[in-house]
Structure formats: structure tokens, C-alpha cells
Amino acid sequence: MAYMFDQQRRGATPFGFAVFFSPIFIACPDDSYCEQLIMRLLDDNHTAFRSSFPDGDLVPLLGLSASTAERTFVEYLQIVLSMHSMVGRILPNTCLDFFGEGKAEVIPRLLHPLLTEDRIQIPTVHVTGSKDVPSMVEQSWVAQRLCNASLVRVHSHMGGHEVPFKKSDVKAVVSSVRMAVEEAYE
């Protein structure tokens, strides 16, 4: 998705449609994304937050003046990091105490629909298992909301964090993909 956003910003559309199977976090390669927010989290007013990161209830440590964007950024980062013990090293930076380093460049820029107005402007199909881990379902929800709502098709199958294999689920996904293709090339 980050590639698609980058291409859209450049005026290119490399794909006519996209299919996402249980997507997890989308990291933005642009260091300027959320830069001011991250710099605020690194300032002297947020030392209690940084010393407690990544564990605990961090939002109250942001203070009463915390913006919705700051709360969203921190909450979503915690959701993503909660998967670390389940799936191993999910971030290229294996040190989870990146706020403790005090360097903005090591803090992941996770795309979230409340932090950017950009949306993927091609038809998309999102497939998620109803028995998937809640933190992964949340990330699939985030990916869906990063797309133009009028161009999104969602399919939930009876499995977990896997590609559907039941014939009825596969048929439903194929049908959604066909509709996305038709919409893309009308």
C-alpha cells in the first residue's frame, strides 16, 4: 500500500485494482509523514511517556493536551507492537524502545486513516479471517480505511490469518476480484 500511495503522489497508477489478504501495518517510507507529531513525542514534555514505552497504558502519559493524532499514533503503534511476541520480529528495527533512542528517524511511520487524508484511489478487495487475532483484524480495518470507501469490497472468511480455502469463500473472493477488475477497466 505504501508503494501505491507513493505512486499516486507522483501521478502514476501502476495497478488498476488491488487485493489484500489480511494485511498488517503499512509503514510510510516518507520521513516527513507525522514528523511534527513525532518531534512532539520526543520533546521534554513527554519523558514519562518515552520511559514507559512500549508497555502499559501510554495514552494518559501523553498529557491532557495530547491531540487526537498523537493518541491515534500511539494507540496504533501499541497495537502493531502487541504482535511482536506472536509473529517474531515484525519491524526492521528489532529494538522496540525506539522512543528511548530519541531519534526521529528510527520511529516507524505507520499509515493510519486518521493521520492522513490520502486514500488509495483504485478498486480494492480486502479479505480477512473472522478468527484472526484481534490486533491483526484491527490492522486489516486500518488498511481498508486507507482506501476510497466507494471502491472497497470486503470479504470475511471463517478462517484465521490465512488465505481462504473453503470453496464457497474462494468463489466469493473471486467474484469480488472480478467486480474490482470490471470497475477498474470500465
Side-chain angles (χ1 to χ4, degrees):
M1 284 187 93
Y3 174 76
M4 289 189 281
F5 276 121
D6 181 58
Q7 292 299 303
Q8 275 184 189
R9 279 188 216 105
R10 297 170 192 252
T13 50
F15 311 109
F17 67 96
V19 181
F20 300 100
F21 289 90
S22 299
I24 58 171
F25 69 93
I26 300 105
C28 181
D30 181 359
D31 285 341
S32 67
Y33 174 76
C34 290
E35 183 178 30
Q36 291 179 349
L37 182 152
I38 288 169
M39 295 311 291
R40 281 194 308 275
L41 293 174
L42 291 173
D43 71 21
D44 291 340
N45 296 326
H46 293 90
T47 54
F49 160 77
R50 286 193 311 279
S51 65
S52 298
F53 188 86
D55 303 311
D57 188 10
L58 297 175
V59 172
L61 296 176
L62 294 174
L64 297 174
S65 64
S67 68
T68 300
E70 288 171 327
R71 289 190 299 275
T72 299
F73 183 85
V74 168
E75 287 172 345
Y76 187 53
L77 192 54
Q78 276 194 291
I79 288 169
V80 169
L81 295 179
S82 73
M83 294 180 0
H84 191 266
S85 62
M86 290 184 293
V87 295
R89 295 185 174 130
I90 59 169
L91 298 172
N93 175 358
T94 57
C95 172
L96 298 184
D97 184 23
F98 31 77
F99 280 106
E101 291 185 37
K103 299 178 194 170
E105 64 270 13
V106 299
I107 299 170
R109 281 18 183 213
L110 301 180
L111 287 166
H112 192 284
L114 297 178
L115 300 174
T116 182
E117 293 179 8
D118 292 341
R119 297 295 180 264
I120 299 296
Q121 296 297 327
I122 59 172
T124 57
V125 177
H126 300 262
V127 184
T128 306
S130 61
K131 295 177 185 167
D132 205 347
V133 178
S135 61
M136 291 188 180
V137 171
E138 172 75 13
Q139 291 176 72
S140 291
W141 177 89
V142 166
Q144 290 170 27
R145 266 92 194 145
L146 285 168
C147 299
N148 180 328
S150 67
L151 300 172
V152 169
R153 288 184 173 70
V154 178
H155 177 73
S156 179
H157 60 86
M158 296 303 293
H161 192 73
E162 59 201 21
V163 175
F165 57 88
K166 286 179 59 181
K167 192 172 189 174
S168 59
D169 287 326
V170 172
K171 282 184 176 184
V173 171
V174 167
S175 176
S176 291
V177 171
R178 283 187 176 141
M179 286 188 275
V181 169
E182 288 173 14
E183 193 169 13
Y185 299 107
E186 287 182 336

